[in-house]
Amino acid sequence: MSMTNRWDATALAGLGEEMYRWIERLYPLCRSITGAGVEDTLAVLREQVPLHIERVPSGTKVFDWKVPREWNIRDAYVKDPTGRRVIDFHANNLHVVSYSRPVHKQVSLAELKAHTFTIPEQPDWIPYRTSYYAENWGFCAAHNVVNALPDGMYEVCVDASLQDGHLAYGEYLHHGYSEEEVLFSTHTCHPSLCNDNLSGIALNAMLASLISQVQTRYSYRFLFIPGTIGSITWLSRNQQRAQSIKHGLVVTCVGDGGPFRYKRSRRGDAEIDRAVEYVLRHTGGAYQISDFSPYGYDERQYCSPGFNLAVGSLTRSSHRQYPQYHTSADDLGFIGPNWLEESLSVYLKVISVLETNQFYVNKFPFCEPQLGRRGLYDDVGAHPDPNAFRMALLWVLNQSDGEHALLDIAEKSQIPIDTVAEAASALHHSGLLEMAAARP
Ligand code: ZN
């Protein structure tokens, strides 16, 4: 059974709901690049996937960076002159600037405003802001709320600690027949925000769970890491191992109803780029493809020139492309189980293409071998699409010179890759083809 059949729409039914339920559980946790929110998130994911948790001490040098101190927050608020909480971390964790240093004092309205971020164009939404690498304190709030505050003295409190500790990330490696790896990497550092990136976390966990149940050609590595510093830390600790990564995707922003968007790897013409584009072209919905740019998420690190890994990013409405991006409106209502399931299906199709895309060599390259004598025309008769299968046999025989993999043949012949793969398998069985090593 091919992987595509195994993961057809019936098999995936209900998995969107399941991912959505994980997201509902993870939504209230206050994640950041370090701290208890990340640990709690990884603990929930471990119920689904046997994640290995790595903890890297603060201060560890990772390439040109240092693992930061651990941030843990208990409470944060602003009280107005009457003692009422007008900004409250417990109502929404976006209210505190992530990594805000502790503070507890009385400030004037002017000073409060200087430390408070709002979005005037979306006056009811709370923005998401961070202060990872510049020590400061701050709040985020709806513009309408801040605008309505009367003059007077305000009590500001961020009850947080910023101390030496660890940066935690989750990792799961599924061993395939080959040591060559496919990487799926997602960031775990955003607090109560759904599309960016609880959707990516849930999809990555679901992929890991599904892959763990099957035998695969490639090995699959799933990373759950804080954005930027997490991939830098992983790459710094696995510089050698990273060479085994042959294909990869950064999994993020996969829960909304926007069209799929694929950002190519820095190489631009890597097998992963062609596999994703092939799947999107044949999936039916609208999609967009863009070339690599050194912005966005962790593809920036995987595609830094020293690594230049074949890692692209397959998203829906992504990084700065939707008004709700990095605001409280990127909530449970912005994403949907059906969209998550659709994204899962596309990711699985990409995996299926990668698994299928082998090289073969025709052992009878001098004129066409006789197919009838080998029972291959009986296979044609038995196939649901006999014409396509017959043509696929001829295409595979003709193109299998060790230079054309099955994806090349599917594209040239315009025959679905599953049919091309079935033809190759029949020809291989009858002794007409042998498998060839992939091009380096
Ligand atoms: Zn983000």
Side-chain angles (χ1 to χ4, degrees):
M1 190 195 272
S2 84
M3 289 191 142
T4 318
N5 295 336
R6 186 192 290 276
W7 292 319
D8 64 9
T10 332
L12 301 188
L15 297 188
E17 289 286 348
E18 195 171 339
M19 287 185 275
Y20 192 84
R21 283 196 298 272
W22 299 349
I23 291 172
E24 283 178 318
R25 274 182 74 191
L26 296 171
Y27 181 69
L29 302 177
C30 185
R31 283 161 292 275
S32 185
I33 49 177
T34 60
V38 175
E39 293 271 1
D40 294 346
T41 299
L42 295 174
V44 170
L45 298 178
R46 284 197 75 190
E47 296 171 17
Q48 318 298 333
V49 184
L51 282 184
H52 179 72
I53 312 291
E54 286 282 334
R55 292 184 181 86
V56 186
S58 306
T60 304
K61 197 168 155 44
V62 287
F63 292 121
D64 202 38
W65 300 58
K66 245 193 217 163
V67 171
R69 289 184 292 169
E70 191 175 314
W71 185 68
N72 284 291
I73 180 152
R74 291 163 289 276
D75 195 8
Y77 60 82
V78 174
K79 283 184 181 169
D80 72 6
T82 70
R84 191 174 63 93
R85 282 188 182 221
V86 289
I87 298 177
D88 185 359
F89 169 77
H90 288 296
N92 190 318
N93 61 34
L94 297 178
H95 275 311
V96 68
V97 169
S98 188
Y99 249 65
S100 184
R101 70 170 168 78
V103 64
H104 193 185
K105 61 176 179 178
Q106 297 282 329
V107 296
S108 67
L109 180 61
E111 187 178 354
L112 172 64
K113 283 185 171 174
H115 282 268
T116 305
F117 298 94
T118 68
I119 316 169
E121 310 79 56
Q122 296 288 355
D124 293 323
W125 297 356
I126 307 163
Y128 162 56
R129 291 297 184 103
T130 67
S131 178
Y132 295 144
Y133 304 104
E135 209 172 274
N136 206 341
W137 63 269
F139 292 91
C140 301
H143 192 71
N144 282 341
V145 168
V146 176
N147 235 10
L149 295 177
D151 234 343
M153 292 304 285
Y154 287 80
E155 181 187 344
V156 296
C157 174
V158 176
D159 179 11
S161 60
L162 205 46
Q163 295 165 328
D164 281 348
H166 294 89
L167 176 151
Y169 63 84
E171 183 165 19
Y172 171 65
L173 177 65
H174 165 81
H175 289 281
Y177 298 118
S178 164
E179 308 237 307
E180 292 184 341
E181 293 183 9
V182 184
L183 171 72
F184 290 97
S185 175
T186 197
H187 58 275
T188 52
C189 49
H190 288 37
S192 292
L193 295 166
C194 283
N195 203 40
D196 178 17
N197 184 36
L198 286 169
S199 70
I201 293 173
L203 181 60
N204 210 35
M206 184 58 86
L207 280 179
S209 162
L210 294 174
I211 288 288
S212 74
Q213 299 164 32
V214 294
Q215 291 189 321
T216 54
R217 170 184 167 204
Y218 287 111
S219 294
Y220 286 80
R221 187 177 297 277
F222 298 88
L223 293 181
F224 300 81
I225 52 173
T228 306
I229 190 66
S231 50
I232 291 171
T233 299
W234 190 88
L235 286 164
S236 149
R237 289 156 56 94
N238 297 277
Q239 204 166 347
Q240 254 337 93
R241 187 167 299 165
Q243 302 311 314
S244 302
I245 296 170
K246 297 301 166 193
H247 322 284
L249 289 174
V250 168
V251 188
T252 174
C253 300
V254 286
D256 74 303
F260 286 96
R261 292 167 208 253
Y262 179 63
K263 180 169 135 186
R264 293 183 176 124
S265 72
R266 180 176 181 270
R267 299 183 190 179
D269 61 348
E271 195 175 328
I272 186 68
D273 301 320
R274 294 187 46 225
V276 174
E277 293 181 41
Y278 178 85
V279 168
L280 292 179
R281 208 158 57 236
H282 290 87
T283 296
Y287 64 92
Q288 293 171 12
I289 309 266
S290 60
D291 279 325
F292 175 79
S293 65
Y295 203 54
Y297 293 108
D298 288 310
E299 64 275 12
R300 295 161 65 164
Q301 314 309 330
Y302 299 123
C303 294
S304 56
F307 288 101
N308 198 22
L309 298 176
V311 174
S313 177
L314 176 54
T315 68
R316 302 187 75 142
S317 297
S318 182
H319 203 255
R320 292 173 193 251
Q321 290 166 333
Y322 57 110
Q324 296 86 348
Y325 168 82
H326 280 193
T327 75
S328 55
D330 185 354
D331 61 8
L332 289 164
F334 182 65
I335 61 165
N338 50 329
W339 297 319
L340 287 163
E341 199 164 296
E342 209 173 63
S343 301
L344 176 68
S345 163
V346 167
Y347 266 83
L348 289 170
K349 283 178 181 156
V350 172
I351 289 175
S352 185
V353 169
L354 293 174
E355 289 278 315
T356 302
N357 192 27
Q358 310 248 32
F359 286 87
Y360 290 91
V361 173
N362 180 348
K363 290 161 75 182
F364 295 80
F366 298 101
C367 299
E368 291 178 354
Q370 261 195 309
L371 302 183
R373 179 150 65 80
R374 295 178 170 88
L376 287 160
Y377 283 127
D378 300 336
D379 293 352
V380 169
H383 196 273
D385 188 351
N387 287 333
F389 188 69
R390 183 184 302 112
M391 288 308 295
L393 289 173
L394 298 178
W395 273 104
V396 171
L397 279 173
N398 182 275
Q399 295 291 304
S400 290
D401 51 7
E403 291 293 315
H404 301 95
L406 296 189
L407 180 56
D408 301 312
I409 301 175
E411 282 179 330
K412 254 190 196 191
S413 66
Q414 302 286 308
I415 300 170
I417 191 166
D418 290 345
T419 308
V420 170
E422 284 162 0
S425 163
L427 292 164
H428 187 229
H429 263 275
S430 65
L432 291 174
L433 289 186
E434 65 188 1
M435 227 174 254
R439 281 171 300 194

PDB file of all heavy atoms in Angstrom, residues 288-309:
ATOM      1  N   GLN A 288       0.486  29.906  -3.731  1.00  0.00           N
ATOM      2  CA  GLN A 288       1.510  30.856  -4.172  1.00  0.00           C
ATOM      3  C   GLN A 288       2.873  30.264  -3.883  1.00  0.00           C
ATOM      4  O   GLN A 288       3.060  29.605  -2.863  1.00  0.00           O
ATOM      5  CB  GLN A 288       1.385  32.169  -3.399  1.00  0.00           C
ATOM      6  CG  GLN A 288       0.110  32.930  -3.706  1.00  0.00           C
ATOM      7  CD  GLN A 288      -0.088  34.102  -2.757  1.00  0.00           C
ATOM      8  OE1 GLN A 288       0.823  34.473  -2.016  1.00  0.00           O
ATOM      9  NE2 GLN A 288      -1.277  34.670  -2.771  1.00  0.00           N
ATOM     10  N   ILE A 289       3.806  30.558  -4.776  1.00  0.00           N
ATOM     11  CA  ILE A 289       5.185  30.093  -4.580  1.00  0.00           C
ATOM     12  C   ILE A 289       6.070  31.324  -4.567  1.00  0.00           C
ATOM     13  O   ILE A 289       5.897  32.215  -5.397  1.00  0.00           O
ATOM     14  CB  ILE A 289       5.631  29.196  -5.758  1.00  0.00           C
ATOM     15  CG1 ILE A 289       4.614  28.087  -6.017  1.00  0.00           C
ATOM     16  CG2 ILE A 289       7.049  28.692  -5.547  1.00  0.00           C
ATOM     17  CD1 ILE A 289       4.868  26.789  -5.366  1.00  0.00           C
ATOM     18  N   SER A 290       6.996  31.374  -3.627  1.00  0.00           N
ATOM     19  CA  SER A 290       7.952  32.485  -3.681  1.00  0.00           C
ATOM     20  C   SER A 290       9.362  31.945  -3.497  1.00  0.00           C
ATOM     21  O   SER A 290       9.562  30.875  -2.933  1.00  0.00           O
ATOM     22  CB  SER A 290       7.637  33.528  -2.611  1.00  0.00           C
ATOM     23  OG  SER A 290       7.716  32.934  -1.341  1.00  0.00           O
ATOM     24  N   ASP A 291      10.295  32.717  -4.004  1.00  0.00           N
ATOM     25  CA  ASP A 291      11.694  32.351  -3.831  1.00  0.00           C
ATOM     26  C   ASP A 291      12.116  32.581  -2.393  1.00  0.00           C
ATOM     27  O   ASP A 291      11.468  33.320  -1.654  1.00  0.00           O
ATOM     28  CB  ASP A 291      12.572  33.177  -4.777  1.00  0.00           C
ATOM     29  CG  ASP A 291      12.569  32.590  -6.181  1.00  0.00           C
ATOM     30  OD1 ASP A 291      12.517  31.342  -6.304  1.00  0.00           O
ATOM     31  OD2 ASP A 291      12.599  33.373  -7.157  1.00  0.00           O
ATOM     32  N   PHE A 292      13.216  31.977  -2.043  1.00  0.00           N
ATOM     33  CA  PHE A 292      13.769  32.148  -0.703  1.00  0.00           C
ATOM     34  C   PHE A 292      14.089  33.617  -0.434  1.00  0.00           C
ATOM     35  O   PHE A 292      14.505  34.342  -1.339  1.00  0.00           O
ATOM     36  CB  PHE A 292      15.046  31.309  -0.570  1.00  0.00           C
ATOM     37  CG  PHE A 292      15.746  31.517   0.741  1.00  0.00           C
ATOM     38  CD1 PHE A 292      15.275  30.874   1.878  1.00  0.00           C
ATOM     39  CD2 PHE A 292      16.828  32.367   0.847  1.00  0.00           C
ATOM     40  CE1 PHE A 292      15.901  31.083   3.105  1.00  0.00           C
ATOM     41  CE2 PHE A 292      17.457  32.575   2.068  1.00  0.00           C
ATOM     42  CZ  PHE A 292      16.987  31.923   3.194  1.00  0.00           C
ATOM     43  N   SER A 293      13.862  34.041   0.795  1.00  0.00           N
ATOM     44  CA  SER A 293      14.383  35.327   1.243  1.00  0.00           C
ATOM     45  C   SER A 293      14.837  35.118   2.689  1.00  0.00           C
ATOM     46  O   SER A 293      14.244  34.309   3.412  1.00  0.00           O
ATOM     47  CB  SER A 293      13.312  36.417   1.185  1.00  0.00           C
ATOM     48  OG  SER A 293      12.296  36.122   2.107  1.00  0.00           O
ATOM     49  N   PRO A 294      15.877  35.820   3.100  1.00  0.00           N
ATOM     50  CA  PRO A 294      16.439  35.566   4.438  1.00  0.00           C
ATOM     51  C   PRO A 294      15.639  36.262   5.529  1.00  0.00           C
ATOM     52  O   PRO A 294      16.161  37.063   6.296  1.00  0.00           O
ATOM     53  CB  PRO A 294      17.864  36.114   4.328  1.00  0.00           C
ATOM     54  CG  PRO A 294      17.751  37.184   3.302  1.00  0.00           C
ATOM     55  CD  PRO A 294      16.661  36.794   2.343  1.00  0.00           C
ATOM     56  N   TYR A 295      14.341  35.976   5.578  1.00  0.00           N
ATOM     57  CA  TYR A 295      13.440  36.564   6.559  1.00  0.00           C
ATOM     58  C   TYR A 295      12.421  35.491   6.881  1.00  0.00           C
ATOM     59  O   TYR A 295      12.442  34.421   6.264  1.00  0.00           O
ATOM     60  CB  TYR A 295      12.785  37.819   5.959  1.00  0.00           C
ATOM     61  CG  TYR A 295      12.295  38.765   7.017  1.00  0.00           C
ATOM     62  CD1 TYR A 295      13.149  39.213   8.013  1.00  0.00           C
ATOM     63  CD2 TYR A 295      10.979  39.203   7.036  1.00  0.00           C
ATOM     64  CE1 TYR A 295      12.699  40.071   9.005  1.00  0.00           C
ATOM     65  CE2 TYR A 295      10.529  40.068   8.020  1.00  0.00           C
ATOM     66  CZ  TYR A 295      11.395  40.494   9.002  1.00  0.00           C
ATOM     67  OH  TYR A 295      10.930  41.340   9.974  1.00  0.00           O
ATOM     68  N   GLY A 296      11.517  35.747   7.825  1.00  0.00           N
ATOM     69  CA  GLY A 296      10.507  34.738   8.114  1.00  0.00           C
ATOM     70  C   GLY A 296      10.871  33.950   9.356  1.00  0.00           C
ATOM     71  O   GLY A 296      11.086  34.549  10.403  1.00  0.00           O
ATOM     72  N   TYR A 297      10.951  32.619   9.238  1.00  0.00           N
ATOM     73  CA  TYR A 297      11.176  31.789  10.419  1.00  0.00           C
ATOM     74  C   TYR A 297      12.513  31.038  10.337  1.00  0.00           C
ATOM     75  O   TYR A 297      13.463  31.552   9.776  1.00  0.00           O
ATOM     76  CB  TYR A 297       9.962  30.886  10.645  1.00  0.00           C
ATOM     77  CG  TYR A 297       8.744  31.701  11.038  1.00  0.00           C
ATOM     78  CD1 TYR A 297       7.678  31.888  10.166  1.00  0.00           C
ATOM     79  CD2 TYR A 297       8.703  32.345  12.272  1.00  0.00           C
ATOM     80  CE1 TYR A 297       6.589  32.672  10.541  1.00  0.00           C
ATOM     81  CE2 TYR A 297       7.618  33.121  12.649  1.00  0.00           C
ATOM     82  CZ  TYR A 297       6.564  33.279  11.783  1.00  0.00           C
ATOM     83  OH  TYR A 297       5.499  34.056  12.156  1.00  0.00           O
ATOM     84  N   ASP A 298      12.555  29.830  10.857  1.00  0.00           N
ATOM     85  CA  ASP A 298      13.863  29.184  11.031  1.00  0.00           C
ATOM     86  C   ASP A 298      14.530  28.738   9.737  1.00  0.00           C
ATOM     87  O   ASP A 298      15.685  28.315   9.764  1.00  0.00           O
ATOM     88  CB  ASP A 298      13.729  28.021  12.019  1.00  0.00           C
ATOM     89  CG  ASP A 298      13.538  28.537  13.436  1.00  0.00           C
ATOM     90  OD1 ASP A 298      14.330  29.404  13.848  1.00  0.00           O
ATOM     91  OD2 ASP A 298      12.591  28.107  14.111  1.00  0.00           O
ATOM     92  N   GLU A 299      13.825  28.835   8.621  1.00  0.00           N
ATOM     93  CA  GLU A 299      14.491  28.561   7.338  1.00  0.00           C
ATOM     94  C   GLU A 299      15.696  29.495   7.173  1.00  0.00           C
ATOM     95  O   GLU A 299      16.662  29.157   6.476  1.00  0.00           O
ATOM     96  CB  GLU A 299      13.508  28.695   6.169  1.00  0.00           C
ATOM     97  CG  GLU A 299      12.911  30.089   5.923  1.00  0.00           C
ATOM     98  CD  GLU A 299      11.675  30.362   6.794  1.00  0.00           C
ATOM     99  OE1 GLU A 299      11.428  29.584   7.730  1.00  0.00           O
ATOM    100  OE2 GLU A 299      10.974  31.357   6.511  1.00  0.00           O
ATOM    101  N   ARG A 300      15.643  30.637   7.834  1.00  0.00           N
ATOM    102  CA  ARG A 300      16.776  31.579   7.761  1.00  0.00           C
ATOM    103  C   ARG A 300      18.051  30.933   8.266  1.00  0.00           C
ATOM    104  O   ARG A 300      19.149  31.219   7.768  1.00  0.00           O
ATOM    105  CB  ARG A 300      16.493  32.794   8.643  1.00  0.00           C
ATOM    106  CG  ARG A 300      15.334  33.598   8.177  1.00  0.00           C
ATOM    107  CD  ARG A 300      14.801  34.494   9.270  1.00  0.00           C
ATOM    108  NE  ARG A 300      15.747  35.516   9.696  1.00  0.00           N
ATOM    109  CZ  ARG A 300      15.387  36.574  10.408  1.00  0.00           C
ATOM    110  NH1 ARG A 300      14.116  36.741  10.748  1.00  0.00           N
ATOM    111  NH2 ARG A 300      16.272  37.462  10.766  1.00  0.00           N
ATOM    112  N   GLN A 301      17.918  30.107   9.318  1.00  0.00           N
ATOM    113  CA  GLN A 301      19.107  29.469   9.902  1.00  0.00           C
ATOM    114  C   GLN A 301      19.491  28.213   9.106  1.00  0.00           C
ATOM    115  O   GLN A 301      20.652  28.004   8.796  1.00  0.00           O
ATOM    116  CB  GLN A 301      18.857  29.123  11.371  1.00  0.00           C
ATOM    117  CG  GLN A 301      18.207  30.238  12.188  1.00  0.00           C
ATOM    118  CD  GLN A 301      18.900  31.595  12.058  1.00  0.00           C
ATOM    119  OE1 GLN A 301      20.121  31.674  11.837  1.00  0.00           O
ATOM    120  NE2 GLN A 301      18.142  32.669  12.168  1.00  0.00           N
ATOM    121  N   TYR A 302      18.484  27.377   8.780  1.00  0.00           N
ATOM    122  CA  TYR A 302      18.783  26.147   8.025  1.00  0.00           C
ATOM    123  C   TYR A 302      19.387  26.471   6.661  1.00  0.00           C
ATOM    124  O   TYR A 302      20.149  25.700   6.104  1.00  0.00           O
ATOM    125  CB  TYR A 302      17.510  25.302   7.845  1.00  0.00           C
ATOM    126  CG  TYR A 302      16.902  24.865   9.149  1.00  0.00           C
ATOM    127  CD1 TYR A 302      15.582  25.185   9.488  1.00  0.00           C
ATOM    128  CD2 TYR A 302      17.652  24.127  10.073  1.00  0.00           C
ATOM    129  CE1 TYR A 302      15.026  24.793  10.700  1.00  0.00           C
ATOM    130  CE2 TYR A 302      17.101  23.731  11.289  1.00  0.00           C
ATOM    131  CZ  TYR A 302      15.795  24.074  11.595  1.00  0.00           C
ATOM    132  OH  TYR A 302      15.250  23.687  12.795  1.00  0.00           O
ATOM    133  N   CYS A 303      18.989  27.635   6.113  1.00  0.00           N
ATOM    134  CA  CYS A 303      19.484  28.026   4.790  1.00  0.00           C
ATOM    135  C   CYS A 303      20.615  29.047   4.879  1.00  0.00           C
ATOM    136  O   CYS A 303      20.929  29.704   3.891  1.00  0.00           O
ATOM    137  CB  CYS A 303      18.343  28.586   3.946  1.00  0.00           C
ATOM    138  SG  CYS A 303      17.076  27.369   3.546  1.00  0.00           S
ATOM    139  N   SER A 304      21.206  29.226   6.065  1.00  0.00           N
ATOM    140  CA  SER A 304      22.372  30.114   6.126  1.00  0.00           C
ATOM    141  C   SER A 304      23.478  29.461   5.291  1.00  0.00           C
ATOM    142  O   SER A 304      23.492  28.240   5.147  1.00  0.00           O
ATOM    143  CB  SER A 304      22.798  30.341   7.572  1.00  0.00           C
ATOM    144  OG  SER A 304      23.047  29.108   8.222  1.00  0.00           O
ATOM    145  N   PRO A 305      24.370  30.264   4.703  1.00  0.00           N
ATOM    146  CA  PRO A 305      25.252  29.704   3.661  1.00  0.00           C
ATOM    147  C   PRO A 305      26.124  28.545   4.134  1.00  0.00           C
ATOM    148  O   PRO A 305      26.425  27.659   3.343  1.00  0.00           O
ATOM    149  CB  PRO A 305      26.087  30.911   3.214  1.00  0.00           C
ATOM    150  CG  PRO A 305      25.896  31.948   4.272  1.00  0.00           C
ATOM    151  CD  PRO A 305      24.574  31.704   4.900  1.00  0.00           C
ATOM    152  N   GLY A 306      26.491  28.528   5.422  1.00  0.00           N
ATOM    153  CA  GLY A 306      27.323  27.432   5.913  1.00  0.00           C
ATOM    154  C   GLY A 306      26.599  26.100   5.883  1.00  0.00           C
ATOM    155  O   GLY A 306      27.225  25.050   5.733  1.00  0.00           O
ATOM    156  N   PHE A 307      25.283  26.125   6.034  1.00  0.00           N
ATOM    157  CA  PHE A 307      24.479  24.890   5.992  1.00  0.00           C
ATOM    158  C   PHE A 307      23.822  24.724   4.626  1.00  0.00           C
ATOM    159  O   PHE A 307      23.921  23.664   4.020  1.00  0.00           O
ATOM    160  CB  PHE A 307      23.422  24.905   7.107  1.00  0.00           C
ATOM    161  CG  PHE A 307      24.007  24.715   8.470  1.00  0.00           C
ATOM    162  CD1 PHE A 307      24.219  25.797   9.330  1.00  0.00           C
ATOM    163  CD2 PHE A 307      24.380  23.452   8.907  1.00  0.00           C
ATOM    164  CE1 PHE A 307      24.775  25.621  10.582  1.00  0.00           C
ATOM    165  CE2 PHE A 307      24.941  23.269  10.165  1.00  0.00           C
ATOM    166  CZ  PHE A 307      25.141  24.357  11.003  1.00  0.00           C
ATOM    167  N   ASN A 308      23.139  25.752   4.172  1.00  0.00           N
ATOM    168  CA  ASN A 308      22.464  25.725   2.871  1.00  0.00           C
ATOM    169  C   ASN A 308      21.644  24.452   2.679  1.00  0.00           C
ATOM    170  O   ASN A 308      21.710  23.790   1.638  1.00  0.00           O
ATOM    171  CB  ASN A 308      23.498  25.882   1.744  1.00  0.00           C
ATOM    172  CG  ASN A 308      22.852  26.292   0.424  1.00  0.00           C
ATOM    173  OD1 ASN A 308      21.745  26.837   0.415  1.00  0.00           O
ATOM    174  ND2 ASN A 308      23.525  26.018  -0.676  1.00  0.00           N
ATOM    175  N   LEU A 309      20.885  24.104   3.707  1.00  0.00           N
ATOM    176  CA  LEU A 309      20.090  22.878   3.635  1.00  0.00           C
ATOM    177  C   LEU A 309      18.881  23.083   2.709  1.00  0.00           C
ATOM    178  O   LEU A 309      18.424  24.205   2.519  1.00  0.00           O
ATOM    179  CB  LEU A 309      19.598  22.486   5.034  1.00  0.00           C
ATOM    180  CG  LEU A 309      20.692  22.172   6.051  1.00  0.00           C
ATOM    181  CD1 LEU A 309      20.069  21.889   7.425  1.00  0.00           C
ATOM    182  CD2 LEU A 309      21.535  20.984   5.597  1.00  0.00           C
TER     183      LEU A 309
END
